[in-house]
Amino acid sequence: MTQDNKHQHHSCCGCMHDLGKLNMARRTFLAAVGGTAIGANAILSANADAASASAASEYLNKPITSAKKKPLVVQPVFTYHLYKRQEQASWRPWGGFHTKEDVQKECQQIEKELAEMKQKAEFPLEILPIMPVSSPAEAKQAREANADVTLVYGATGEIDPVFSDNKQHIVFVRHRSGPAYLWYEIVSPRFLRKTVDELGEPRLAPQDVVVDEYADILWRLRSLYAIKNTVGSKIVCIGGPAGWGAGGQKAPERTKEKFKMELIDYPYSELDKRITSALNDSKLREQAKIWTKQYLNLPKTSMETDIPFLENAFILTEIFEQIMNELDAPAITVNECMTTIIPKAKTTACMTLSLINDRGAMAFCESDFAVIPSGVLLYYLSSKPVFLQDPTYPHHGVVTIAHCTAPRKMDGTNLEPVRILTHYESDYGAAPKVDMRVGETVTVIDPDFEFKKWIGFRGKVQANPFLDICRSQTDIEIEGDCNRLANDMVGFHWMMCYGDYLKETGYALRKLGIGWYNLTHDRTLEA
């Protein structure tokens, strides 16, 4: 590892002690700082105070104000035409809609189905009243509707007039779920291919057509919701935006170009003033002591470093939250977090970033914009915290991933077990060792430096080892060709979340102009 490149791995977050260091950390903890340490039994006891733990849960469940999510607005459109009988002529096309009553009944059924689908959405979704369209004036109204997505029910008639150049579109057709739709027959040859062999419709791809299944509509809407909230989003960059290694030097510029993100450069000189003021604020110090005690009384929580490190982490969390709220940003990242934060904050940023993630916002270490866009996208796709981590070398169907800023609420609700240790590389501060849920399905993304093609796979949490590496460390069983992953690995940092979001990721990346290789299904989608 080279030491002359400030974006190399030496700035990454925490790892594990050997047994001797762990015993030393425990002795240091028992001694405490200035003779004021809380007794070991009170901290390590499994019988935590219920009221204190409840207060800590309230703290973690209180969302950060700036972590607002924009709902996806959908306009359903039902296209139809009522044909008149012509004797001894082919007068009607395919489709089970012949009267006004047929149309009204179908629109009512669609409204019911959409209401049921909305109840299943875990992301903010607004569905407007359905618009039946059978005339140019109605088509114009549909095109100009104030929505992000036009969901076109291609029953009969023409669908082209309802398409807009500045919206996303999904076409739904029925096969077995109700009366047959004309466009079940002709959406490919007439609309997608314009009666030739080549695809020729820039506003719709084959992946945008759904047959019968509302679950297939919902996961596509989830992708479009993630795109809406990712593109143009703000992120506070403490110490400025950066990128890992030689390949990541242009990552901030590529992020601005591809994702239109606003990377807000927040200088350390300004942060230093806030930290100095906050550390000297007696009221905030007392509040941090309370937060610390409450947090340590949470179930499955143990402390194996000095308590003032965690208190300072809560103070730093308060500072970061204020900055995010002032700048109306749902995300924050820290550049050179080890060499600069430690002497200023008298702790590491590891626990602070973990706490912010658990409170529903996004917080990333290292300010590595070769990977951060994948984290923002996956956060909105999954509606769960995400884990930025260092991968190791894939072997025998397994890869170890590790970093020091893992969230505890990996499923978005429940706290995973944690040991609060020192940051490994500095042997200082407070860093969480979060044990991921063994057997849990996860999505893992390996983004390339140039945003040309990302790799992703589904995996399962196999184990939570205790190696001398970054504190939160997990062995992931790879669902896919391990040897191909080892051969094709790109970039450096990876991103992970609980659940399977491979379909949503591939769909979103195609819309964003980034290629995608789904290792689990051995499938490549070009940009």
Side-chain angles (χ1 to χ4, degrees):
M1 184 186 309
T2 61
Q3 298 296 319
D4 57 346
N5 187 333
K6 70 176 183 178
H7 303 301
Q8 294 294 335
H9 181 63
H10 71 269
S11 67
C12 85
C13 300
C15 309
M16 223 10 266
H17 283 298
D18 59 26
L19 185 59
K21 289 182 178 179
L22 179 57
N23 289 335
M24 180 61 71
R26 287 175 174 160
R27 289 196 297 272
T28 306
F29 157 67
L30 291 171
V33 174
T36 60
I38 300 173
N41 290 338
I43 298 299
L44 301 176
S45 171
N47 300 315
D49 178 79
S52 183
S54 176
S57 295
E58 289 179 9
Y59 173 87
L60 292 176
N61 290 332
K62 182 182 178 183
I64 291 175
T65 305
S66 61
K68 299 183 292 291
K69 298 176 180 178
K70 296 177 284 189
L72 185 74
V73 182
V74 179
Q75 176 61 70
V77 173
F78 181 79
T79 65
Y80 73 99
H81 184 80
L82 301 180
Y83 298 88
K84 294 182 179 180
R85 176 182 290 275
Q86 299 179 31
E87 292 302 324
Q88 298 184 352
S90 179
W91 59 272
R92 68 182 179 189
W94 288 18
F97 304 94
H98 311 296
T99 67
K100 273 285 188 180
E101 289 73 23
D102 291 338
V103 172
Q104 291 170 355
K105 183 179 178 181
E106 178 68 0
C107 287
Q108 289 170 358
Q109 178 64 23
I110 290 169
E111 294 272 18
K112 179 183 176 182
E113 292 167 342
L114 288 172
E116 292 172 352
M117 183 189 72
K118 182 178 178 179
Q119 288 184 334
K120 298 176 182 178
E122 75 290 346
F123 57 94
L125 179 61
E126 181 180 347
I127 300 178
L128 302 176
I130 191 167
M131 297 178 65
V133 170
S134 63
S135 69
E138 290 170 338
K140 182 175 184 293
Q141 187 179 3
R143 285 197 309 274
E144 295 176 354
N146 188 18
D148 304 303
V149 183
T150 302
L151 177 54
V152 182
Y153 288 80
T156 58
E158 295 297 326
I159 64 174
D160 185 87
V162 305
F163 272 67
S164 167
D165 291 335
N166 58 4
K167 289 187 178 71
Q168 300 285 354
H169 302 85
I170 296 173
V171 169
F172 178 87
V173 294
R174 293 197 192 275
H175 170 208
R176 294 191 175 100
S177 64
Y181 278 23
L182 167 65
W183 289 92
Y184 174 50
E185 175 200 10
I186 62 173
V187 67
S188 176
R190 287 196 176 272
F191 193 70
L192 293 175
R193 293 186 282 119
K194 310 301 182 188
T195 73
V196 296
D197 287 333
E198 296 76 22
L199 293 172
E201 176 49 66
R203 300 166 298 179
L204 196 78
Q207 294 75 24
D208 300 320
V209 178
V210 175
V211 180
D212 282 342
E213 297 295 335
Y214 272 81
D216 290 337
I217 297 177
L218 185 57
W219 72 252
R220 285 167 170 83
L221 294 179
R222 185 179 296 118
S223 294
L224 299 178
Y225 158 78
I227 292 171
K228 178 179 179 178
N229 281 270
T230 299
V231 174
S233 61
K234 296 180 181 179
I235 181 165
V236 178
C237 306
I238 302 296
W244 187 89
Q249 296 307 296
K250 295 182 180 179
E253 289 74 18
R254 291 182 178 124
T255 297
K256 294 175 185 177
E257 178 183 354
K258 181 68 72 174
F259 293 91
K260 306 297 187 289
M261 286 188 185
E262 183 179 349
L263 313 185
I264 306 171
D265 189 343
Y266 196 90
Y268 269 111
S269 57
E270 292 300 315
L271 181 67
D272 194 16
K273 297 174 187 176
R274 285 182 180 261
I275 291 176
T276 300
S277 175
L279 292 178
N280 291 324
D281 185 332
S282 59
K283 289 184 179 180
L284 181 57
R285 170 64 63 186
E286 288 306 309
Q287 182 61 64
K289 290 178 182 290
I290 294 171
W291 284 329
T292 297
K293 182 177 179 180
Q294 293 169 344
Y295 189 84
L296 293 176
N297 276 333
L298 286 168
K300 301 178 289 186
T301 305
S302 67
M303 181 75 171
E304 299 173 37
T305 184
D306 296 337
I307 287 180
F309 288 144
L310 184 54
E311 293 172 356
N312 289 343
F314 274 103
I315 291 173
L316 189 61
T317 303
E318 186 74 3
I319 295 170
F320 280 10
E321 179 180 350
Q322 290 173 359
I323 295 171
M324 293 168 70
N325 288 338
E326 289 169 8
L327 297 172
D328 193 30
I332 193 167
T333 184
V334 184
N335 193 9
E336 294 297 303
C337 45
M338 292 303 98
T339 58
T340 312
I341 283 284
I342 285 178
K344 298 177 185 299
K346 310 304 179 188
T347 190
T348 53
C350 312
M351 274 302 303
T352 290
L353 302 182
S354 180
L355 289 167
I356 291 173
N357 280 307
D358 282 337
R359 294 183 60 199
M362 291 172 280
F364 305 103
C365 57
E366 301 199 48
S367 197
D368 180 9
F369 280 90
V371 70
I372 286 173
S374 71
V376 177
L377 183 67
L378 193 58
Y379 164 85
Y380 287 115
L381 284 174
S382 67
S383 294
K384 301 184 184 90
V386 296
F387 179 29
L388 185 159
Q389 21 70 28
D390 297 353
T392 55
Y393 197 79
H395 66 96
H396 303 95
V398 174
V399 63
T400 303
I401 60 173
H403 231 304
C404 75
T405 58
R408 292 184 68 182
K409 289 187 180 180
M410 289 297 298
D411 67 359
T413 304
N414 301 295
L415 291 169
E416 301 292 26
V418 69
R419 297 170 63 179
I420 304 172
L421 307 159
T422 59
H423 167 255
Y424 179 76
E425 289 163 326
S426 64
D427 198 17
Y428 186 87
K433 176 181 172 23
V434 176
D435 283 349
M436 305 294 173
R437 193 178 305 156
V438 173
E440 182 71 36
T441 295
V442 297
T443 297
V444 183
I445 298 177
D446 171 17
D448 70 324
F449 286 126
E450 297 186 1
F451 296 174
K452 290 183 177 178
K453 183 183 287 186
W454 293 359
I455 300 171
F457 64 90
R458 185 173 62 235
K460 287 190 183 301
V461 175
Q462 188 183 85
N464 296 285
F466 202 40
L467 307 174
D468 286 343
I469 62 175
C470 288
R471 294 301 190 188
S472 291
Q473 48 189 273
T474 301
D475 288 343
I476 301 293
E477 179 183 331
I478 301 163
E479 293 190 28
D481 188 336
C482 177
N483 292 329
R484 177 160 184 178
L485 177 60
N487 186 71
D488 292 354
M489 284 171 66
V490 290
F492 174 51
H493 289 114
W494 287 3
M495 200 65 64
M496 182 269 272
C497 76
Y498 278 12
D500 181 358
Y501 298 95
L502 293 177
K503 288 185 302 186
E504 290 90 339
T505 304
Y507 187 74
L509 291 182
R510 188 160 195 155
K511 299 283 186 182
L512 293 166
I514 298 174
W516 171 245
Y517 174 60
N518 184 333
L519 182 79
T520 298
H521 298 288
D522 190 22
R523 184 179 303 155
T524 298
L525 294 177
E526 299 301 333

